[in-house]
Amino acid sequence: MRRFLDNLYGAAGLLAGLCTVGVLVSVLAAIIARQLSFNIPGTDAYAGYFMAAAGFLALASTFKHGEHIRVTLLLNSLNPAGSRRLDIFALAVGCLLAAAFAFFSVKLTYDSWLFNDISTSNDATPLWIPQTTMAVGTILFFIALVDELVRRSRGVAAATSQQTHE
């Protein structure tokens, strides 16, 4: 199960990287088209879709690699048992918030599909398509938080960014 989850987070991180390349390609296409005096409709919208997808798909991988910002001042001032309890509490609260975020992201995507919402810009993209990456990203982030909560509850130390880069 550990290998599956790590591969899942890694695949989402890889997709996030590809979406970042998508932002670059969209912006470069718009710049080149403008220099050649023609317009490619929707490049701004697609750059935005790719940017949002990159951000959401990277949440779980970034979290599991210990790269999210953590305020450890309070954790470091407590004894090990108190620090562990506070960390578990913070992860539990994070799980609740991520579950709500995932639920409403999925609901938004489903509603957009159900009502055939389309982009108001000139690309007229069905909005459920780019919103799917948000829903998938928030679900994976929720899974990563639950995964870490279970690991920390079992006494496994939290990953730091230095540990994951070694």
Side-chain angles (χ1 to χ4, degrees), residues 8-165:
L8 185 63
Y9 306 141
L14 180 64
L15 284 174
L18 291 174
C19 288
T20 303
V21 172
V23 173
L24 172 69
V25 169
S26 296
V27 171
L28 281 177
I31 291 170
I32 291 169
R34 196 174 357 217
Q35 294 300 316
L36 298 175
S37 299
F38 68 93
N39 181 36
I40 302 174
T43 52
D44 292 342
Y46 282 100
Y49 300 150
F50 280 126
M51 187 177 298
F56 283 103
L57 290 172
L59 284 172
S61 177
T62 305
F63 175 72
K64 291 305 283 185
H65 283 93
E67 299 291 340
H68 281 220
I69 296 172
R70 288 181 53 128
V71 181
T72 57
L73 185 65
L74 183 57
L75 286 174
N76 291 339
S77 69
L78 298 173
N79 63 36
S83 176
R84 183 171 175 265
R85 282 193 294 270
L86 182 59
D87 198 23
I88 289 171
F89 174 75
L91 285 167
V93 170
C95 285
L96 291 174
L97 293 172
F101 196 17
F103 173 80
F104 287 108
S105 295
V106 170
K107 184 178 179 338
L108 175 69
T109 303
Y110 176 72
D111 287 346
S112 292
W113 175 77
L114 190 65
F115 298 118
N116 197 28
D117 284 343
I118 60 170
S119 171
T120 57
S121 65
N122 60 1
D123 65 315
T125 300
L127 287 177
W128 67 266
I129 296 171
Q131 289 170 351
T132 298
T133 59
M134 177 180 67
V136 169
T138 57
I139 290 167
L140 290 176
F141 185 51
F142 169 67
I143 292 169
L145 281 166
V146 171
D147 177 22
E148 193 63 22
L149 177 61
V150 169
R151 289 170 52 88
R152 294 292 291 136
S153 296
R154 290 182 174 172
V156 178
T160 65
S161 60
Q162 286 181 327
Q163 289 173 337
T164 58
H165 293 300

